[in-house]
Amino acid sequence: MQASVLDWLESSSQSFGDKIAIWDEKEEVTYRQYHDQAVGLAKAIIESGIENKAPVVVFLEKSVRVPVSFMGIAYAGDFYSPIDIGMPKQRISRILEVLQPRAVITSKELKGEFEKFDYTGKYIIYEEVAPISADKAVEKRRQQIIDTDLLYVLFTSGSTGTPKGVSITHRGVIDCIDWFAETFDICPKDSFANQAPFYFDVSVPDIYLSMKSGAPLYLVPEDLFVQPVRLLEFLREKQINTISWVPSALIVVSKIKAFRSVDLSDILKRVIFCGEVMPNKQLNIWRQYLPNVVYANLYGPTEAVYACTCYIVNREFADDEPLPIGFPMKNTDIMVLDEEEALVEEPGKIGELCVRGTGMAAGYYNNQEKTKEMFVQNPLNHAYEEKIYRTGDLVKYNDCGELVYLSRKDFQIKHLGHRIELGEIETAVSSLSDVTRCCCLYDEKHARICLFLDWDISKEELRPLLENMIPDYMLPGKVIYMENIPLNANGKIDREKLKAYL
Ligand code: AMP
């Protein structure tokens, strides 16, 4: 019986001790080193006086060291939260306020950066921690973990300007990864290439599928995502047979048809994508050059670990047809609810996709109010307490009984693979003293964030003022000055009218 994800690392370090577990440009670790370094880190965490089940931050550059630190924190019985070192300082401060971490794993080089924040917890310096193969205190903590304990907290955009900490349990990850491994028949001979940052849920299967199966995980150097031919050469060189990336990363390759220069047909077995709409126009290019690959469209919010539905592409689609998001994953129920909270079963009728199952997050860390709003009582169950998660995504069933994603109900968008609440940008802009009213809309056609505001300022002038508050990917791509932003009958900004200016 499995109570924690650590069983996978225990087993892979015993069976595949000398095999590469994780590789990056500067460093690699075998499964034995992965295990031993994680146990060493856990020992350091325990010895620094950090209690069981406490939040521990990882503040490191993207590298092999990040997943190793995650497992160190898990071995200590605590839960991890990765922080992007490039994130604006104000946003990091807000995350730290929510999380109140007890310790941080960082490097000698980055310690000074972290010291600038209002943080009084312990410091564990990665390179100062020695690996150890076993430790009594660590083993005791590991044995105490139960599967409803938190494994990690990932922060996503929050409309009030404070990111929301999605809290995921060991059970959630075990469920999702078991399903994944079974569905795609993952084995030790497979090899994975990671694209997504570790603070993003799309990286979760990379870390845990490889760990469970004893397969190697290669962290693709970031600059290759702007050099598609080099990217494919990298996949060839490392003999990668499975990729699980966001569509934006796959599109980089199909846009210039990089397959004409590098043939991966004898290597690549599975191309899995999740996190945003995959346009069939782009997928068809992949399918044309690599027809024997298994393609799968996975759908899901961070609140459902990584995915809760899956569609394994099994027929032809025209370029302008939507690709279904498919069917619920095993041990997960998808309820499509209409505005009256009734179950939608009829093809073509639109409703909100709601998720039910053990894979669901335990809520938003230190945010009861938002948790209550999004994780609600199942309206179809009046007999006992049972929570469902309301995704805010509008979907329908097609004539084949498959789910099809249509749009969002609210102001959350996906831009270049990033989940963004437009409200978070509006909150940052509104804080500038010369702004009285502002509004953000997403211009799908040009894939850019459009900001309307009543301050005559250019995009370039605005940039440095926002840089400290929101990440680069949230900076508006177009800024429109309006002396009087139109209001509707309720006195609210008339978003419909503004759409005409996109
Ligand atoms: P995140 O929490 O960053 O994974 O973002 C979750 C949101 O991304 C979902 O609520 C959807 O709006 C969108 N999303 C995720 N996967 C897909 C998909 N396969 N197709 C369309 N939208 C998706």
Side-chain angles (χ1 to χ4, degrees):
M1 184 191 171
Q2 187 173 1
S4 86
V5 297
L6 294 170
D7 289 16
W8 294 328
L9 186 51
E10 289 285 311
S11 146
S12 288
S13 62
Q14 277 161 25
S15 309
F16 310 105
D18 296 324
K19 209 174 151 184
I20 291 184
I22 322 175
W23 175 100
D24 71 33
E25 274 178 300
K26 295 187 195 144
E27 202 177 343
E28 63 183 40
V29 283
T30 63
Y31 271 100
R32 185 170 305 109
Q33 289 166 332
Y34 191 177
H35 168 273
D36 293 358
Q37 187 64 32
V39 174
L41 285 164
K43 186 171 188 301
I45 294 172
I46 297 169
E47 285 177 354
S48 73
I50 304 304
E51 68 276 28
N52 217 344
K53 310 194 195 319
V56 178
V57 158
V58 177
F59 191 70
L60 287 170
E61 247 178 59
K62 185 173 181 185
S63 64
V64 161
R65 297 179 176 196
V66 176
V68 175
S69 300
F70 290 171
M71 290 311 104
I73 295 164
Y75 269 112
D78 297 319
F79 56 93
Y80 62 82
S81 190
I83 292 190
D84 172 16
I85 57 167
M87 196 188 278
K89 304 271 170 297
Q90 186 175 314
R91 204 161 186 262
I92 296 183
S93 297
R94 294 215 163 136
I95 290 178
L96 296 180
E97 254 169 56
V98 174
L99 199 62
Q100 297 289 320
R102 302 297 320 281
V104 57
I105 299 183
T106 186
S107 60
K108 268 191 213 149
E109 201 188 328
L110 288 170
K111 185 172 182 241
E113 275 303 301
F114 206 76
E115 278 169 344
K116 292 181 187 153
F117 299 107
D118 182 17
Y119 165 75
T120 51
K122 307 281 182 192
Y123 283 86
I124 312 283
I125 305 300
Y126 188 98
E127 54 271 45
E128 289 175 357
V129 173
I132 38 171
S133 55
D135 179 80
K136 270 196 178 154
V138 172
E139 187 50 19
K140 190 172 167 211
R141 287 268 181 110
R142 181 172 84 88
Q143 296 296 346
Q144 284 170 342
I145 301 172
I146 62 169
D147 68 1
T148 49
D149 282 339
L150 293 193
L151 172 62
Y152 61 78
V153 175
L154 290 188
F155 281 85
T156 75
S157 181
S159 55
T160 57
T162 298
K164 303 190 295 268
V166 181
S167 309
I168 297 291
T169 62
H170 283 264
R171 172 48 50 199
V173 174
I174 294 168
D175 249 39
C176 174
I177 298 301
D178 280 351
W179 168 86
F180 210 128
E182 201 180 297
T183 305
F184 294 98
D185 215 3
I186 304 294
C187 73
K189 287 198 178 128
D190 289 323
S191 52
F192 301 91
N194 154 271
Q195 166 265 323
F198 291 123
Y199 52 83
F200 185 26
D201 63 344
V202 173
S203 67
V204 169
D206 292 339
I207 301 172
Y208 292 102
L209 261 185
S210 50
M211 198 168 92
K212 174 182 163 86
S213 54
L217 173 65
Y218 292 88
L219 311 190
V220 182
E222 259 168 66
D223 55 344
L224 295 191
F225 286 97
V226 286
Q227 305 171 63
V229 173
R230 280 284 301 114
L231 176 61
L232 295 194
E233 281 168 356
F234 176 87
L235 299 184
R236 188 155 191 100
E237 191 186 307
K238 300 294 180 206
Q239 298 282 299
I240 302 298
N241 76 357
T242 306
I243 57 177
S244 164
W245 295 354
V246 288
S248 301
L250 296 175
I251 292 171
V252 166
V253 175
S254 48
K255 252 190 172 160
I256 69 145
K257 301 198 171 104
F259 318 97
R260 287 188 295 211
S261 311
V262 186
D263 180 20
L264 292 180
S265 55
D266 55 334
I267 298 177
L268 206 56
K269 252 172 101 174
R270 312 172 187 97
V271 172
I272 295 157
F273 33 92
C274 185
E276 60 185 342
V277 172
M278 178 71 192
N280 261 315
K281 187 168 167 203
Q282 299 300 327
L283 181 61
N284 282 339
I285 300 173
W286 275 84
R287 294 180 72 186
Q288 180 195 340
Y289 286 91
L290 296 168
N292 298 323
V293 162
V294 171
Y295 294 94
N297 184 20
L298 270 64
Y299 155 91
T302 310
E303 288 83 344
V305 177
Y306 155 74
C308 51
T309 78
C310 167
Y311 172 66
I312 297 181
V313 181
N314 60 3
R315 60 178 188 274
E316 299 302 316
F317 288 94
D319 283 356
D320 58 355
E321 259 183 284
L323 187 69
I325 55 169
F327 304 96
M329 285 165 36
K330 193 170 172 183
N331 202 26
T332 299
D333 185 26
I334 296 300
M335 302 161 64
V336 180
L337 297 178
D338 68 13
E339 281 176 359
E340 272 75 51
E341 309 269 48
L343 209 53
V344 170
E345 284 168 317
E346 214 179 294
K349 260 190 92 182
I350 299 172
E352 182 181 359
L353 189 151
C354 300
V355 190
R356 197 173 71 90
T358 49
M360 223 168 54
Y364 300 114
Y365 198 75
N366 256 335
N367 192 342
Q368 298 283 345
E369 200 180 315
K370 198 76 196 164
T371 302
K372 277 190 194 135
E373 189 187 320
M374 307 300 287
F375 296 83
V376 299
Q377 173 65 23
N378 177 356
L380 308 180
N381 182 352
H382 303 289
Y384 60 92
E385 191 180 84
E386 184 195 34
K387 298 285 184 225
I388 60 166
Y389 171 66
R390 304 200 75 118
T391 63
D393 288 320
L394 296 175
V395 296
K396 65 173 186 185
Y397 287 103
N398 62 17
D399 291 332
C400 306
E402 297 151 345
L403 286 158
V404 178
Y405 170 85
L406 298 170
S407 63
R408 289 286 308 170
K409 235 174 103 172
D410 54 14
F411 305 117
Q412 182 181 298
I413 60 154
K414 273 286 163 123
H415 176 54
L416 306 172
H418 297 281
R419 168 170 160 177
I420 301 169
E421 293 279 0
L422 291 173
E424 182 167 355
I425 308 170
E426 290 166 0
T427 308
V429 175
S430 306
S431 72
L432 302 172
S433 52
D434 289 289
V435 177
T436 359
R437 258 185 225 282
C438 72
C439 173
C440 272
L441 292 183
Y442 193 58
D443 179 358
E444 297 272 356
K445 193 166 157 216
H446 303 100
R448 65 183 173 196
I449 296 165
C450 188
L451 169 70
F452 297 85
L453 82 173
D454 56 2
W455 183 24
D456 196 1
I457 185 169
S458 71
K459 185 172 88 176
E460 290 70 29
E461 288 167 321
L462 194 62
R463 196 166 256 266
L465 306 177
L466 294 177
E467 249 166 14
N468 192 30
M469 294 190 272
I470 51 175
D472 281 359
Y473 58 80
M474 288 195 195
L475 293 171
K478 191 174 179 193
V479 174
I480 299 180
Y481 163 65
M482 277 187 174
E483 197 178 346
N484 294 306
I485 294 188
L487 303 181
N488 62 22
N490 300 330
K492 288 187 180 176
I493 291 177
D494 194 335
R495 288 173 185 266
E496 286 309 311
K497 244 188 205 155
L498 287 179
K499 277 186 189 160
Y501 294 87
L502 287 178

